[in-house]
Amino acid sequence: MYRHLLLASVLIAAPVSAQSISASDKAQGAQANPQLLAEFGGKYEGPQAAYVEQVGKRVALQSGLSNAQGDFTVALLNSPVENAFAIPGGYVYVTRQLLALMNSEAELASVMGHEVGHVAARHSAGRNRTATIGGVLASIVGAVAGNGTIGQLAGSAAQQAAGLYTLKYGRDQEYAADGLGVKYITAAGYSPYAAADMLTQLSAASTLQARVAGRDANAMPTWASSHPNSLDRIRRAERLAQQTGRPDTQGGQDTAFLRRLDGLRYDDDPRQGTVDGQTFRHPDLRVRFAAPAGYTIANGADAVTIAGSGGQAQFRTAPATGDLPAFIAARFRALGAAAGGEVRTGTVNGIPYAASTVGATASNRPVDATIVAYRFPSATHYFTVVTPRGSGLGALQPVIASVAPLSAQDAAAIRGKRIRIVTVKAGDTVDSLSRQMAYPTLQRDRFLTLNGLEPNEALRPGMLVKVVVAG
């Protein structure tokens, strides 16, 4: 299905009643920006970064927040998570994984417009005033405490602010940002229908993610943790586009945009570890573990999160220690717990470990919080596990038992993936091109979703398609 492209006949309108971004918002953004970059893998250094910045600033100028492009900071993040967000001070972010899902510059602009809409409406700032630290920590793994309260995560105030900025938006806030986004991209010369196209792409991606993880297709995907999506929202975006009075024209492929994606890193960056099915491997840390079927593994820059119906776990690394019980006690204190429970010790796959569980409260619900630490030669790897009260490790016990050293040979064999842009030749079919996808399962489904194609859509010689290859 072809994407809506840039409307060449539309003149770029000047931003209305431009005003400066406030000094307080700039200060908030400057404080949170370094931690957000760290949490999402840092800035992506590929050639696509400058292009994303160019498009983002072009759209941001239509918001009326400022006339100076220098007032906006737009970053392409080195993250395997499909996400985009913005914070006060004119900071706008999109991940390379979400960029890879797009099929036109107009779709990129629509994502930027939506996020700038959140900034213009000060949605994040509003939540910063009303959200509590406890509410933030209850939304992520690592929130642990005793005495019926949520303790603080070990980390800086910037970490806490980052969580506040990227929490889930309410429906009214999403609708408001959608409306502003359509307005901005239309003024910037893009098709207003690209917003509905992008939401449709995200919906298809969420369904695929659920199938890959063995979850219900209605379960919330990673990107939707901060961007609720629905068929109603897609239809509303279409109505917003119609209200602009611009025609809903279907153009050819945005070949210039697609060619820019060639070589883009896809899925995990090997330097940050890789997720292959239900198994996580890190070549530098020389460690591996696996999640049960039906559980998702989210690989972050400084932590790996495993989540499912039976609980959540977060994997982190600390300097090596010979006293695991003391390490666990220190972690509980850092998280706000008065004291840990009884410490259990043992060995798994040749690695000594220790574990302890305390009672905690998350989102006003009683839970068990368990810390499991492993003594590796050069580091202390540990899990913080949150499960229903009384279950201990529960369904996450297999994760804990799967931790093992990664051999030098296995570490050297780990390769990442990249997007390659392929020109369709005579005789090529969806099935033949899907076989180039560097996955053991669902190759055809992944190919169709990545390219925004319908199941029965015919390919024609000369058109461009994306494939994911090892490299």
Side-chain angles (χ1 to χ4, degrees):
M1 126 177 61
Y2 296 132
R3 304 291 92 189
H4 294 96
L5 308 181
L6 182 72
L7 294 176
S9 61
V10 177
L11 295 177
I12 299 177
V16 294
S17 61
Q19 58 185 359
S20 298
I21 297 173
S22 71
S24 62
D25 281 355
K26 287 183 179 180
Q28 282 184 322
Q31 181 187 26
N33 178 58
Q35 184 58 38
L36 284 168
L37 291 176
E39 287 184 11
F40 285 85
K43 292 182 179 180
Y44 186 68
E45 301 299 335
Q48 297 83 7
Y51 170 65
V52 168
E53 181 180 16
Q54 175 188 355
V55 174
K57 288 186 175 183
R58 176 179 182 175
V59 174
L61 286 176
Q62 308 306 318
S63 67
L65 288 174
S66 176
N67 280 317
Q69 288 198 18
D71 283 351
F72 293 96
T73 300
V74 181
L76 178 62
L77 301 175
N78 185 26
S79 171
V81 175
E82 291 168 350
N83 209 345
F85 51 91
I87 62 175
Y91 292 83
V92 183
Y93 311 86
V94 62
T95 64
R96 58 173 170 75
Q97 194 79 357
L98 184 58
L99 178 65
L101 186 64
M102 302 172 189
N103 288 288
S104 73
E105 183 176 309
E107 289 181 4
L108 171 59
S110 75
V111 169
M112 295 296 189
H114 176 90
E115 298 307 330
V116 171
H118 281 306
V119 174
R122 305 198 79 244
H123 290 158
S124 294
R127 286 182 314 183
N128 195 21
R129 289 193 299 269
T130 60
T132 64
I133 293 299
V136 175
L137 299 184
S139 71
I140 58 175
V141 174
V144 183
N147 304 321
T149 61
I150 294 297
Q152 288 191 342
L153 268 176
S156 66
Q159 284 179 304
Q160 296 159 0
L164 286 166
Y165 291 134
T166 56
L167 282 175
K168 175 180 176 180
Y169 289 109
R171 181 180 64 180
D172 290 344
Q173 290 178 322
E174 285 296 305
Y175 282 175
D178 284 345
L180 290 171
V182 168
K183 175 182 176 181
Y184 299 158
I185 65 173
T186 304
Y190 296 98
S191 167
Y193 296 90
D197 284 347
M198 192 67 243
L199 289 171
T200 300
Q201 277 286 87
L202 284 167
S203 180
S206 70
T207 300
L208 176 61
Q209 288 173 14
R211 292 186 61 195
V212 170
R215 293 180 284 114
D216 187 308
N218 293 320
M220 183 179 293
T222 304
W223 64 266
S225 62
S226 57
H227 298 80
N229 194 27
S230 67
L231 180 59
D232 178 67
R233 187 174 166 208
I234 295 173
R235 290 171 176 167
R236 187 177 183 277
E238 291 174 343
R239 291 196 297 271
L240 289 172
Q242 292 168 356
Q243 291 168 9
T244 67
R246 303 296 181 188
D248 181 8
T249 56
Q250 294 281 355
Q253 283 190 301
D254 190 344
T255 55
F257 174 84
L258 291 172
R259 292 190 189 282
R260 288 181 182 273
L261 299 184
D262 192 59
L264 181 70
R265 174 69 67 191
Y266 194 72
D267 284 349
D268 297 305
D269 186 331
R271 295 172 299 177
Q272 299 173 0
T274 63
V275 178
D276 184 8
Q278 296 302 103
T279 301
F280 174 82
R281 297 179 179 87
H282 200 298
D284 292 338
L285 299 179
R286 300 283 294 275
V287 63
R288 63 177 174 85
F289 56 82
Y295 281 69
T296 59
I297 303 178
N299 184 18
D302 59 356
V304 182
T305 300
I306 299 173
S309 59
Q312 300 179 77
Q314 188 177 79
F315 176 85
R316 290 179 179 270
T317 294
T321 179
D323 191 344
L324 293 180
F327 174 85
I328 289 175
R331 288 305 308 156
F332 274 127
R333 287 194 299 271
L335 295 172
E342 177 186 359
V343 177
R344 309 176 300 278
T345 60
T347 302
V348 58
N349 298 313
I351 300 297
Y353 77 91
S356 181
T357 301
V358 299
T361 301
S363 300
N364 297 318
R365 296 181 180 180
V367 298
D368 281 347
T370 303
I371 293 178
V372 185
Y374 304 83
R375 188 169 70 240
F376 275 64
S378 59
T380 301
H381 301 312
Y382 67 99
F383 281 101
T384 303
V385 183
V386 178
T387 56
R389 177 66 62 84
S391 59
L393 291 172
L396 291 166
Q397 175 64 45
V399 178
I400 305 307
S402 70
V403 173
L406 188 67
S407 70
Q409 182 179 1
D410 288 343
I414 292 176
R415 302 177 64 193
K417 299 183 181 73
R418 293 187 183 275
I419 295 289
R420 289 300 176 194
I421 302 302
V422 175
T423 302
V424 176
K425 303 185 298 293
D428 284 340
T429 65
V430 167
D431 288 334
S432 66
L433 290 170
S434 295
R435 286 193 288 271
Q436 297 185 32
M437 299 287 283
Y439 296 95
T441 63
L442 298 174
Q443 291 176 308
R444 191 176 197 274
D445 300 84
R446 295 177 194 269
F447 176 81
L448 291 172
T449 300
L450 186 64
N451 288 284
L453 298 170
E454 298 293 344
N456 297 321
E457 189 166 346
L459 303 183
R460 54 178 180 75
M463 70 182 293
L464 302 181
V465 293
K466 293 174 282 186
V467 295
V468 179
V469 300

